[in-house]
Amino acid sequence: MQPAQIANLKSGLGIYDVEGKAEGAYSPAELRVMLQGLLAERFRLKFHREMREMQVDRLVIGKRLMLQATEVAEPDPRGFTLHASERGPSFLKAKATAMSLEWLTDDLSGHLSRLVVDGTGLKGLFEFEVDFEFDTEEVRDTRVPVREASNHIRDGLLSAIGLKLQGGKKEPVEVLVMDQVERPDAN
């Protein structure tokens, strides 16, 4: 869930480091449920979910899809790399192992500062390895804002793996509405 999908969150609560230790082995889904319980208890957190119309960009399948399904059971949060390609200075190599499209849309939402939803219809985890070209002049030009320059790299990567963004439509999106949240007591 992206920050834009959280409503009624009080400002001024501060930033907190929350640590917890679970005895035994748990799946990431089980750990998320445990963390939700911890946050509800410590911050007296109460919320509900509802659908709201929001402006979104939609990730869709473009030309020549390069994603390959993988049999790995859990996404790998460190399974995406981007580095210089051996093909030359205007090429980058991107590699992903066990990447979910949920992770990709969350990452894109963070970089774009707007909500990106998955419109591909693809399920599961994917891998890919591609070299793609980008406009080195735009990226290296100090007069071009960093966000704009990084957009060239993002668009090149999406095109290379056969995806694209369609922007600017209002769609119903699930939102977490904060009904109550308080500062936690000191330990």
Side-chain angles (χ1 to χ4, degrees), residues 4-162:
Q5 293 173 269
I6 301 174
N8 297 346
L9 186 59
K10 293 180 188 176
S11 62
L13 282 174
I15 297 173
Y16 298 90
D17 288 326
V18 177
E19 292 183 26
K21 185 175 182 180
E23 299 292 328
Y26 296 94
S27 72
E30 292 170 319
L31 289 172
R32 275 192 296 278
V33 170
M34 294 166 74
L35 178 60
Q36 288 171 355
L38 174 69
L39 293 174
E41 179 185 318
R42 294 285 291 142
F43 291 88
R44 292 177 267 310
L45 178 63
K46 293 182 181 161
F47 63 89
H48 69 276
R49 296 172 189 268
E50 66 183 50
M51 299 301 285
R52 292 191 179 177
E53 288 278 320
M54 296 180 72
Q55 195 86 10
V56 300
D57 286 353
R58 181 171 279 281
L59 184 68
V60 297
I61 296 173
K63 299 176 184 172
R64 201 164 163 252
L65 188 64
M66 298 297 291
L67 301 178
Q68 299 295 316
T70 179
E71 297 299 318
V72 176
E74 292 289 332
D76 182 357
R78 294 174 305 278
F80 177 77
T81 58
L82 182 66
H83 53 84
S85 169
E86 298 164 357
R87 289 179 61 189
S90 63
F91 286 86
L92 290 173
K93 179 181 281 296
K95 182 177 181 180
T97 56
M99 180 190 76
S100 70
L101 291 178
E102 178 184 7
W103 176 87
L104 182 57
T105 57
D106 285 350
D107 189 64
L108 289 168
S109 293
H111 287 288
L112 294 169
S113 300
R114 60 184 186 263
L115 190 58
V116 176
V117 297
D118 180 10
T120 64
L122 301 172
K123 303 291 180 215
L125 301 176
F126 301 93
E127 60 188 17
F128 64 81
E129 185 170 353
V130 294
D131 281 358
F132 64 95
E133 192 169 16
F134 66 99
D135 186 345
T136 56
E137 296 302 317
E138 280 284 321
V139 171
R140 291 183 180 153
D141 187 342
T142 57
R143 296 169 299 188
V144 175
V146 171
R147 184 171 298 279
E148 189 177 316
S150 68
N151 289 346
H152 290 286
I153 295 173
R154 180 208 61 226
D155 293 343
L157 170 61
L158 289 176
S159 178
I161 62 176

